[in-house]
Amino acid sequence: MPQLQHEARALLEQGKVDYILGFEPGTLKFSTTPLITKNKEDCARLVVNPFIANNLSVYLPKLKGRLGIVVKGCDSRSVVSLIQDNKVARDRVVIIGVPCAGIIDLDKIEQLVSRERDEIDDIVRQGDRVAITLGNGKKEFPLVSVLADNCLACETPIPKECDILLDPTDTLVTDPSAGQQRIQEVESKSVEERWAFWEKQFERCIRCYACRSVCPVCFCERCFAEETEPQWVSPAPHWQDNMSFQIIRSLHVAGRCTDCGNCERACPVNIPLRSLSKKMVDLVDELFDYKAGTDKSALPLMASYEADEAEGVFR
Amino acid sequence: MSEQTEFEPKLVGFLCRWCSYAGADLAGTSRKKYPANIRIVKIPCSGRIDPLFVLKALRLGFDGVLVSGCHPGDCHYITGNYRARRRLALTKKFLEYMGVDPRRIQASWVSASEAGKFTDVVTAVTNEVREAGPNRLFTEEKEKRATATA
């Protein structure tokens, strides 16, 4: 952690960046909150821990000047994806990479110990286990049971595109089958059952657009959901419109989404959005052999094509 | 209405102005027969197709969507149909995962001289969509039950 604070401070002092985008402890227990600052003294508040869930690259297209940004593996791919889409220039960002050892999903911990997060005193990572302190009792769980689903399926925990790479603290333990489990549950249903399942999920949606706001690759200046001529979807939260919105959103971020899982984390009504985004990531890989944000000089997925691909879709 | 009428699907066909629309035109002028279930919309290029159009057609109650354009390599705008192919392949597979019968979303390459292929495609697509049954994707649960018991 002091390494990050030191590096960030040096960047500001040497005038290499105008802003630092990182994480500081949040007001809620264990949570972190984005810290965007010009002031080098603020760098002392920067943290790196297993709760830095947000994808800070969402701020890149909105900020002016040179930006020093703290990224995890998935976030660094989002930055590359934004570079591919010309939303930010490579020489305008200084990427500070965090070798990510996985984000701890507080919901999973709450379920495991059946307590609210306020009643938990401490959560400590120890190798491939996690120790949870509750009052005077202490419980240990395997790390894979508390990591976020997208981290379990992660392929790029260490940022490839970065200017400064921090020293690793721990290594990520993955379990791809666990990360894929909820998608397989949907796939095991018949086509009619799947629609009924999603209909039920999207009945809860309140159209707060939190999924859109946290998504770094959902950067349209005018979203189709707000277009009125023609009006593609009604702004009222009917499940038909909620579902249409999310289907099209998923298609819009195809080839850009890096499965950072923040749409699902942001959802106030717990719609399993990652079961959509991860499926889209898999489809893009399966159909077009394309992984989002892995090559900054590549054309975006939908701006390129191969002469022979996706055979069998057209008659 | 006590007697059972056979379900006739309603299809929307987005045909590219340069190839498939001309192909359909040729089918007409050559007096070839094809099912009257399809409603044709002329588009400038198959690359004009946005997944939104497909979804909106299903939302409006069409039982199936057909997108047709020039054969690969023959696009009037050089690359439009390649882009359409990427977009539609993804749309079809993703909607299948969401729970849309893949028979409802169809695509074909029909050139301006292929009147025969056009009638074959429309006939095959109509039959497949007829098998898939009426589109009740966006109807309310209550209505679904009402039509199922009626």
Side-chain angles (χ1 to χ4, degrees), chain A residues 22-214:
Chain A
F23 299 90
E24 65 174 322
T27 44
L28 292 170
K29 214 164 183 179
F30 306 115
S31 75
T32 58
T33 193
L35 170 68
I36 303 176
T37 183
K38 277 179 150 177
N39 184 350
K40 59 180 189 252
E41 301 307 327
D42 288 341
C43 291
R45 301 211 304 273
L46 288 170
V47 292
V48 171
N49 60 30
F51 305 104
I52 50 168
N54 287 52
N55 189 338
L56 296 178
S57 58
V58 68
Y59 297 110
L60 290 184
K62 294 166 193 157
L63 289 168
K64 291 203 168 76
R66 288 170 59 81
L67 312 164
I69 181 172
V70 178
V71 295
K72 307 183 290 294
C74 44
D75 312 347
S76 83
R77 288 173 60 193
S78 300
V79 175
V80 172
S81 180
L82 288 169
I83 295 168
Q84 280 178 276
D85 280 314
N86 283 334
K87 293 308 276 186
V88 64
R90 179 65 185 90
D91 56 11
R92 206 162 68 81
V93 279
V94 175
I95 304 174
I96 308 167
V98 176
C100 181
I103 298 302
I104 290 180
D105 187 337
L106 282 168
D107 292 340
K108 285 191 184 176
I109 290 204
E110 284 181 344
Q111 270 191 352
L112 274 176
V113 298
S114 37
R115 297 280 180 86
E116 295 280 314
R117 64 192 70 175
D118 294 339
E119 302 168 294
I120 300 170
D121 292 313
D122 204 7
I123 302 172
V124 185
R125 231 196 103 133
Q126 294 158 338
D128 61 351
R129 300 191 71 75
V130 65
I132 301 166
T133 317
L134 291 162
N136 38 25
K138 203 171 188 183
K139 287 183 179 174
E140 265 198 31
F141 296 97
L143 190 67
V144 284
S145 62
V146 299
L147 283 185
D149 277 357
N150 65 307
C151 299
L152 291 174
C154 183
E155 288 169 8
T156 50
I158 297 162
K160 285 214 178 63
E161 181 73 27
C162 57
D163 302 298
I164 300 164
L165 186 63
L166 302 182
D167 297 332
T169 46
D170 262 311
T171 46
L172 176 64
V173 189
T174 58
D175 184 353
S177 63
Q180 210 71 351
Q181 195 193 337
R182 288 195 298 158
I183 292 166
Q184 278 159 356
E185 277 167 23
V186 178
E187 279 173 338
S188 66
K189 296 175 201 287
S190 74
V191 173
E192 292 80 26
E193 285 169 350
R194 287 181 206 169
W195 190 265
F197 167 79
W198 287 114
E199 179 181 330
K200 204 105 222 99
Q201 301 297 320
F202 281 102
E203 272 171 2
R204 294 203 298 275
C205 176
I206 53 171
R207 288 284 275 292
C208 61
Y209 297 125
C211 47
R212 186 178 71 182
S213 305
V214 292

Side-chain angles (χ1 to χ4, degrees), chain A residues 194-195 241 275 301 307 315, chain B residues 59 85-86 96-97 107 137:
Chain A
R194 287 181 206 169
W195 190 265
D241 296 293
S275 302
L301 176 77
R315 289 167 184 270
Chain B
R59 179 80 194 272
R85 184 168 61 185
R86 274 215 163 166
E96 185 178 348
Y97 173 76
L137 290 171

Side-chain angles (χ1 to χ4, degrees), chain B residues 55-134:
Chain B
L55 200 66
K56 184 81 177 185
L58 294 174
R59 179 80 194 272
L60 289 174
F62 281 97
D63 302 298
V65 183
L66 170 69
V67 179
S68 190
C70 310
H71 284 270
D74 288 352
C75 181
H76 186 79
Y77 307 102
I78 318 299
T79 61
N81 52 2
Y82 289 123
R83 288 155 203 274
R85 184 168 61 185
R86 274 215 163 166
R87 235 172 280 149
L88 273 165
L90 211 52
T91 308
K92 185 170 173 159
K93 299 269 181 187
F94 188 67
L95 284 180
E96 185 178 348
Y97 173 76
M98 293 297 290
V100 178
D101 194 317
R103 287 175 293 189
R104 296 196 193 284
I105 300 161
Q106 302 270 0
S108 68
W109 308 127
V110 171
S111 83
S113 60
E114 291 178 321
K117 182 172 179 187
F118 180 75
T119 58
D120 293 348
V121 164
V122 175
T123 313
V125 167
T126 308
N127 287 337
E128 281 193 23
V129 175
R130 187 177 285 124
E131 278 166 32

